[in-house]
Amino acid sequence: MRALRVLLLTVIVGLSVLPVFAQDQGREAPVITALTVQVQRVYPHRLGYKVTYDRSDVSQGTVYLPNRWFTGAAAQAEMVFTRHPAAPYMTLYYFDGEFSHLRLVVQSDRSNVMWGALSTGENIDDQFSRETLEFRY
């Protein structure tokens, strides 16, 4: 009987202490926002990718994604190859209103119409020197 009381008292004390650990430590959680846009074409370049996408005003937008964004443990970009009919699309992630990273989902078949070829006269090398994404939706 005494062992049952000790066990019951231990459980009650243990459960009463749990809310103390669950209290907010005064930090606000970051606001995470994801924006997905339909991609029209992806143009491979020796320095990265030129991506054209649909904007909300029915016009076409363009972003330039440097190759260095796709490498490393803390990469700013990830490319996912798929055969799913929803591809191509791009999802951009923002933490507290600042660009964090993006995921570019593309067709794995390089003969797909979404893969484009840049004209030889198009000089866009300087577009790939940016450190952050300037995106207009």
Side-chain angles (χ1 to χ4, degrees), residues 21-30:
F21 294 111
Q23 287 181 358
D24 185 17
Q25 300 298 319
R27 290 175 274 163
E28 287 188 31

Side-chain angles (χ1 to χ4, degrees), residues 20-94:
V20 173
F21 294 111
Q23 287 181 358
D24 185 17
Q25 300 298 319
R27 290 175 274 163
E28 287 188 31
V31 176
I32 302 169
T33 308
L35 173 66
T36 301
V37 296
Q38 191 67 39
V39 168
Q40 289 300 312
R41 298 194 90 179
V42 177
Y43 301 90
H45 184 271
R46 64 182 174 80
L47 298 175
Y49 297 94
K50 175 183 174 182
V51 178
T52 58
Y53 63 93
D54 291 334
R55 293 183 48 203
S56 61
D57 62 358
V58 193
S59 65
Q60 192 173 61
T62 304
V63 291
Y64 298 88
L65 309 175
N67 283 332
R68 68 181 178 282
W69 285 13
F70 292 90
T71 59
Q76 285 182 286
E78 173 189 16
M79 186 174 295
V80 178
F81 294 93
T82 184
R83 292 191 182 276
H84 195 278
Y89 62 92
M90 181 170 52
T91 303
L92 298 96
Y93 298 91
Y94 293 88

